[in-house]
Amino acid sequence: MIGLPPFTQRIVITGIGLTSPNGNSLAEYRAALLAGVSGVRPYNIRYVGDTLAGVCNFDEHRHQSKKDRRRGTRAGSISIYCAREAVLDSGLDWENIDRSRVGVYLGVTEHGNVETENEINEIKGYDYDTSVWSHHHNPRTVANNPAGEITLNMGITGPHYTIGAACAAGNAGLIQGTQMLRLGECDLAICGGVSESIHTFGIFAGFASQGALATHEDPTKASRPFDKNRNGIVVSEGGCLYILERYEDACRRGAKIYGEIAGYAMNSDASDFVLPNPTEQARCVQMALDKARLEPNDIGIVSTHATATGAGDIQECTALRNVFADSPDVLVNNTKSFIGHAMGAAGALELAGNLPAFTDGVAHATINVDDLDPDCALPGLVLNQPRDGQAITSILNNSFGMLGINSTLIVTKV
Amino acid sequence: MTTTDIRTEILDILSDIAPDEDLTKLNDEENFRAQMELDSMDFLDIVMELRKRHRVQIPEDDYVHLASMNSTVKYLEPLMKDM
C-alpha cells in the first residue's frame, strides 16, 4: 500500500443490518455461513407453481406498524428492518442525529414487478375492471420506493434514492454512499442493497425460460456455484444495509469499525444482454485494486459473484485467473451456495458475511461443490469447509449483472 | 343490508385499513379522523373496498359523507339496502 487517502476521504463501515434466508442479524448469518447452513427451501408462487427460493423470516413489525406495512412494499419492509438494525448496531445516538444530513442509497435489481403483478392478479377477479386498481400502486412502484420508505419510517430528510444496477446493485449502493460522503452531500450514509424478487413470478419464469432456474430434490443443495452439475440460479429475497461514516467521525465517537471502503470500480461489458464478459470483469477487478492501491497478493478473500450458471461461473473464474494469476494463496469463496441469489441484496449480503473474517480469521466456504468444474478450479477456492487461522486484512467483493454491469468493492481492516 | 350490517361491514373495512387501531371504542358520532390516524389514501381505501366488495360507486363529491360512522352508514343505507 502506497499511502492512505486524506482523513475526510476515508470512509468506514460502522453498522450492519441485514436479513438473509439464513439469518436476521450479522451474528446469525455468520454462524450459519460457518456451519454450512443453507437458507434455500421449497417455495410456491402463482403460475410457476412449486420451485425453490431463499425466503427471509425477519419480524416485519419490529420496526414498522401493520398499517405502514400494508401500505408499503416487501422491499420497503426489508429496507426499514435493515436500516433500523444497522443504526442500532452502529451505536449512533439516533434521536440526536441531524437527519437532514443522512443519505439513503439503496441498490435494487428491479422494483415494481411484484406490485404490478399483484394488481393485475387482483383486477383479474373483477374481469379486468381497472376501477379497482389500487391507488397505492404508484407510490409502491416508483423506483425510489424502498429508500423512500426508510426516510418515512425514520424521519430522514436528507437525500434518498435507489440505484438500479441489476445484480451489481448491492455494491453499487455502497459505492454511491461512499461517493456522497466524499462529496460532502451527507454526513451519514445508509446504503447497500435490497430485494423482494421472490414475490414476482416473472423472475422465476424468466430464468426458467432461459434454462437458468435451479432445481434439486434437496433444496439446500440446489445452489451450486462451481460444481460441474450445477443447473442454475436459486432466486432469493433479502437485504443488507450499512452505516457508512467518515473515518474521523467514527473515531470521534469511538465507533466500532467493521472495515474501510478502500477501493471500488464499476464498468460495462458492452457485449451482451446476459452473457458476462471476462475481459471487462477482469478490468473492473483491476481498477478496484488500483484505486485501493493494493496488489492482488494483498487480498485475503475474493467473494465471488458466481450464480451457478455455467457461463457465469466460468467467465468470472477466467477473469479472476487473469488478475490473480500470480496469487495462488488468495482465498476464494461464494455465498450464493448458502442463500441463493439475493439479487439487489446479493453484493451487500455477500460482503457482510465475509467481514467478520477480519476479527475471527475464518474464511467461510463455498458449499455444495461435490464435483468441482475444472474450469472453476481456482487454487484458493475454500471448498465445503471453512478455513480458519487466516490473517485476513482485505476482502474483494464482486457483483455483476445483466446488460453487462460489473462492480468490485474492496474493504480493508482498520 | 341493514344499518347494523353496514356498520359491521365498515368496521371490517376499517380493521383492514388501520390494523393497529383499537376499534372497540369507536364513537359513531365523532369523525373518524378525530379518533384514528387516517389520511386521504385511507379514505380512498374505504371507497375502494366498497367498490370491490359490493360494487358501490361513490362519486368524489360524496366522499364528505364518509366522515364518521353514523354519516357513512346514513349515506350508504339507500345504496346498500337491497344487497
Side-chain angles (χ1 to χ4, degrees):
Chain A
M1 189 181 286
I2 296 166
L4 293 170
F7 265 19
T8 53
Q9 296 296 298
R10 294 187 66 185
I11 307 301
V12 294
I13 298 167
T14 58
I16 297 173
L18 65 82
T19 179
S20 156
N22 63 353
N24 296 315
S25 66
L26 180 58
E28 284 181 12
Y29 174 51
R30 175 70 174 173
L33 294 176
L34 295 186
V37 177
S38 165
V40 178
R41 63 194 72 176
Y43 185 68
N44 185 283
I45 187 162
R46 74 168 76 101
Y47 307 139
V48 171
D50 290 332
T51 182
L52 304 170
V55 185
C56 295
N57 66 355
F58 70 99
D59 178 4
E60 287 190 317
H61 303 299
R62 179 165 153 79
H63 302 296
Q64 190 179 27
S65 69
K66 289 177 184 167
K67 181 181 173 182
D68 284 348
R69 173 64 193 94
R70 178 184 175 276
R71 180 174 285 194
T73 65
R74 175 70 169 173
S77 189
I78 289 170
S79 303
I80 288 166
Y81 176 83
C82 292
R84 287 273 187 187
E85 291 295 307
V87 166
L88 286 172
D89 182 54
S90 72
L92 283 162
D93 179 11
W94 183 250
E95 292 309 311
N96 293 306
I97 292 282
D98 178 0
R99 294 176 216 179
S100 71
R101 296 291 300 160
V102 178
V104 182
Y105 311 104
L106 267 53
V108 292
T109 290
E110 49 80 29
H111 183 75
N113 288 320
V114 173
E115 296 72 25
T116 303
E117 286 179 10
N118 285 346
E119 282 307 311
I120 291 172
N121 189 58
E122 185 72 10
I123 68 167
K124 182 179 158 194
Y126 298 86
D127 196 23
Y128 297 100
D129 175 2
T130 57
S131 74
V132 298
W133 188 271
S134 176
H135 47 287
H136 295 299
H137 179 256
N138 291 346
R140 283 175 182 155
T141 58
V142 287
N144 62 313
N145 168 279
E149 286 205 38
I150 290 176
T151 64
L152 289 166
N153 180 275
M154 300 177 72
I156 294 167
T157 55
H160 84 264
Y161 47 88
T162 54
I163 298 101
C167 302
N171 272 356
L174 276 155
I175 291 168
Q176 187 74 24
T178 300
Q179 292 172 330
M180 291 298 107
L181 282 162
R182 285 180 175 163
L183 287 170
E185 297 292 328
C186 61
D187 293 329
L188 197 73
I190 299 174
C191 56
V194 297
S195 176
E196 62 175 12
S197 292
I198 64 164
H199 303 282
T200 156
F201 75 86
I203 198 161
F204 291 92
F207 280 133
S209 298
Q210 200 185 328
L213 188 68
T215 57
H216 199 285
E217 59 190 20
D218 176 358
T220 67
K221 299 278 285 179
S223 187
R224 288 173 290 163
F226 310 133
D227 188 271
K228 204 189 285 183
N229 297 310
R230 63 188 171 261
N231 62 10
I233 292 167
V234 172
V235 184
S236 300
E237 65 174 352
C240 181
L241 298 183
Y242 294 78
I243 302 296
L244 297 188
E245 298 177 67
R246 297 185 189 93
Y247 175 68
E248 62 267 34
D249 292 340
C251 288
R252 195 177 300 124
R253 69 181 187 87
K256 156 189 78 210
I257 296 176
Y258 284 100
E260 176 173 357
I261 308 293
Y264 59 82
M266 292 191 73
N267 72 342
S268 307
D269 290 343
S271 53
D272 194 89
F273 273 69
V274 292
L275 290 176
N277 177 331
T279 303
E280 290 306 323
Q281 288 183 347
R283 192 168 69 87
C284 186
V285 172
Q286 187 60 56
M287 286 193 298
L289 285 165
D290 293 344
K291 196 167 280 185
R293 286 172 275 193
L294 294 173
E295 297 296 326
N297 271 324
D298 295 325
I299 298 298
I301 296 173
V302 172
S303 166
T304 59
H305 170 76
T307 63
T309 64
D313 291 7
I314 293 169
Q315 302 287 48
E316 183 176 9
C317 289
T318 301
L320 292 174
R321 221 175 261 116
N322 289 340
V323 178
F324 293 93
D326 300 322
S327 312
D329 296 330
V330 174
L331 301 177
V332 180
N333 66 12
N334 180 279
T335 313
K336 291 184 182 76
S337 57
F338 298 83
I339 64 170
H341 190 343
M343 303 289 149
L349 276 171
E350 291 160 14
L351 172 66
N354 274 300
L355 286 177
F358 288 153
T359 48
D360 64 21
V362 184
H364 78 65
T366 299
I367 60 169
N368 295 334
V369 183
D370 297 329
D371 190 1
L372 179 63
D373 180 345
D375 288 332
C376 299
L378 297 170
L381 264 180
V382 183
L383 292 173
N384 299 316
Q385 293 296 326
R387 200 171 301 175
D388 58 14
Q390 309 296 315
I392 308 294
T393 56
S394 61
I395 294 162
L396 184 147
N397 193 52
N398 277 343
S399 257
F400 309 131
M402 287 187 177
L403 283 299
I405 183 169
N406 304 317
S407 72
T408 299
L409 188 69
I410 299 174
V411 177
T412 50
K413 184 176 181 176
V414 175
Chain B
M1 291 178 93
T2 66
T3 54
T4 306
D5 293 336
I6 296 170
R7 183 182 186 280
T8 303
E9 187 67 355
I10 297 299
L11 272 180
D12 190 57
I13 291 171
L14 286 174
S15 69
D16 280 350
I17 296 168
D20 307 293
E21 302 276 354
D22 177 7
L23 298 175
T24 58
K25 292 170 186 162
L26 193 72
N27 181 340
D28 286 6
E29 292 175 5
E30 203 173 345
N31 277 6
F32 291 130
R33 277 193 177 179
Q35 307 174 74
M36 306 166 63
E37 281 187 31
L38 293 182
D39 60 21
S40 59
M41 294 290 269
D42 296 318
F43 279 93
L44 285 174
D45 270 325
I46 298 174
V47 173
M48 180 63 80
E49 283 304 307
L50 287 167
R51 188 181 297 152
K52 279 183 170 178
R53 295 183 187 195
H54 303 289
R55 310 307 292 166
V56 172
Q57 300 288 352
I58 303 175
E60 197 171 338
D61 290 345
D62 290 352
Y63 289 176
V64 290
H65 298 299
L66 308 180
S68 69
M69 181 60 87
N70 280 348
S71 68
T72 303
V73 172
K74 188 179 171 190
Y75 171 76
L76 290 173
E77 209 174 350
L79 300 175
M80 300 178 76
K81 68 176 178 349
D82 295 330
M83 291 178 179

